[in-house]
Amino acid sequence: MISYRPTAPADVDRVTSWIVTEPVGWIPADRYLSDLAEGMYRPEWTWIAERDGQVVGRALWWGPKGSPHPVALDCLDVDPAVDDRAAVAGELIGAALAGFPASVQYAIKVTGGWRDDPATSAAVEWRRAAAHAAGLTREVERLQFEWAPADGVPSVAGRLRFAEASDEDFLAAFRRIAEGSLDAQTRANLTAKGVDATAREEMDFYLRAPGKREWWRIAYTRQGEVAGMAIPSATPYSVNVGYLGVVPEFRGRGYVDEVLAEITRLHAANGEARITATTDMANAPMAAAFARARYRNTEIRINLSNDVQP
């Protein structure tokens, strides 16, 4: 019989000795211990499946420093010797979710072309089945990009002027950019909550992020009209593109390239050796903009969630 429970501090060695052998992203011991010390992993957020006193599965849930609850499942694995890995993993996720808030997500991280690789495809499928069984049924595939100084710092095109602005100005820009957005999360939020709540939640998310508020810029045309905005940001692990967008009436003019270039230049000027970025697989225009800016696609994330995320 298999039982499911959160760990205690005494379990840390059993958790960190686990090695994932399949071709999916996972959390090794050094990363887990480092983030555990920072409070981004916690014993009560780390769940294990046990059979006859042996750990046969683990689920590592992550949350920002100071968060009262986790927001993401970072690593899920079940011993290949277990007969039905998907069923056990589904029970493991479900047991944790019973004590967590409803809004969480799980990202399965793989390389490009994963569907054509039998080993990777199989690793994804049983994890996806487990997530769906536990209620994480909303699925979006996202592209992860990365930039380094060797990729080249973009020059200033000069069609747009970038300037700091008030929170009210940025909130207004969030509202306008949400209109017609190709981002799946924004579209879901608009349907569920409306434009005002969507704009406020997106702005609050970036205000809470580790990036600095003074990095934010509104993009203006030469005539002084608001064309879009650039929000360079950061995670606990690296700086990132954060949020960028062009208002509806100025789309299709290539302004997105200038907005992305502004973010890249700011991080580069601060001496950053790595900038990350993500966009939905379905957002072809944004993916193309990253490619033009010499951002390299490094992985694909299959995001599964059970609620609309901010």
Side-chain angles (χ1 to χ4, degrees):
M1 180 176 178
I2 296 178
S3 60
Y4 307 90
R5 66 173 176 87
T7 60
D11 294 311
V12 67
D13 287 343
R14 297 205 297 164
V15 170
T16 55
S17 64
W18 191 280
I19 295 175
V20 177
T21 58
E22 293 172 294
V24 296
W26 64 287
I27 306 300
D30 56 350
R31 162 75 182 279
Y32 178 81
L33 291 171
S34 174
D35 283 7
L36 184 69
E38 296 288 335
M40 293 185 288
Y41 292 122
R42 300 178 197 173
E44 65 271 26
W45 295 352
T46 302
W47 279 71
I48 54 175
E50 288 181 298
R51 182 173 60 189
D52 299 327
Q54 299 296 314
V55 176
V56 296
R58 72 171 191 172
L60 309 184
W61 296 83
W62 180 95
K65 292 181 183 179
S67 175
H69 54 78
V71 298
L73 175 57
D74 263 2
C75 184
L76 175 70
D77 197 36
V78 173
D79 190 329
V82 171
D83 288 338
D84 191 339
R85 298 171 81 187
V88 172
E91 292 287 342
L92 183 57
I93 297 172
L97 287 179
F100 294 161
S103 184
V104 295
Q105 64 177 346
Y106 169 38
I108 307 173
K109 301 176 183 179
V110 292
T111 57
W114 64 269
R115 288 179 175 84
D116 299 322
D117 178 67
T120 307
S121 180
V124 168
E125 289 309 321
W126 74 257
R127 288 174 171 85
R128 173 191 272 146
H132 284 194
L136 306 183
T137 56
R138 182 171 176 271
E139 186 170 326
V140 178
E141 201 160 324
R142 292 179 63 81
L143 299 168
Q144 175 81 5
F145 291 90
E146 185 173 304
W147 177 94
D151 299 314
V153 178
S155 59
V156 177
R159 293 193 301 162
L160 296 178
R161 174 178 62 87
F162 294 88
E164 298 182 43
S166 67
D167 283 359
E168 291 75 16
D169 289 337
F170 278 103
L171 186 59
F174 270 109
R175 289 193 193 98
R176 296 180 66 193
I177 291 169
E179 180 183 340
S181 173
L182 296 178
D183 181 80
Q185 190 61 62
T186 298
R187 292 165 69 93
N189 284 344
L190 286 171
T191 299
K193 306 175 183 182
V195 67
D196 289 339
T198 295
R200 171 53 64 183
E201 288 187 4
E202 289 183 335
M203 181 167 167
D204 286 347
F205 175 85
Y206 287 101
L207 286 171
R208 294 192 305 267
K212 297 180 180 180
R213 172 62 178 81
E214 57 263 32
W215 293 345
W216 297 17
R217 299 289 186 272
I218 293 287
Y220 298 93
T221 67
R222 291 173 180 172
Q223 291 72 38
E225 298 173 285
V226 173
M229 66 176 170
I231 298 186
S233 192
T235 71
Y237 310 105
S238 68
V239 298
N240 63 15
V241 167
Y243 187 101
L244 77 160
V246 175
V247 300
E249 60 266 35
F250 288 119
R251 289 172 185 161
R253 306 186 188 189
Y255 285 157
V256 66
D257 293 337
E258 294 189 44
V259 178
L260 177 56
E262 176 71 8
I263 293 174
T264 306
R265 285 193 299 270
L266 183 142
H267 284 319
N270 289 336
E272 300 292 348
R274 174 174 176 260
I275 306 170
T276 62
T278 60
T279 193
D280 292 352
M281 179 80 77
N283 193 344
M286 192 66 246
F290 282 126
R292 289 192 298 271
R294 299 182 182 177
Y295 279 69
R296 291 160 286 109
N297 178 219
T298 55
E299 70 180 17
I300 293 173
R301 297 181 177 183
I302 304 162
N303 284 358
L304 301 121
S305 63
N306 61 350
D307 201 357
V308 175
Q309 302 289 318

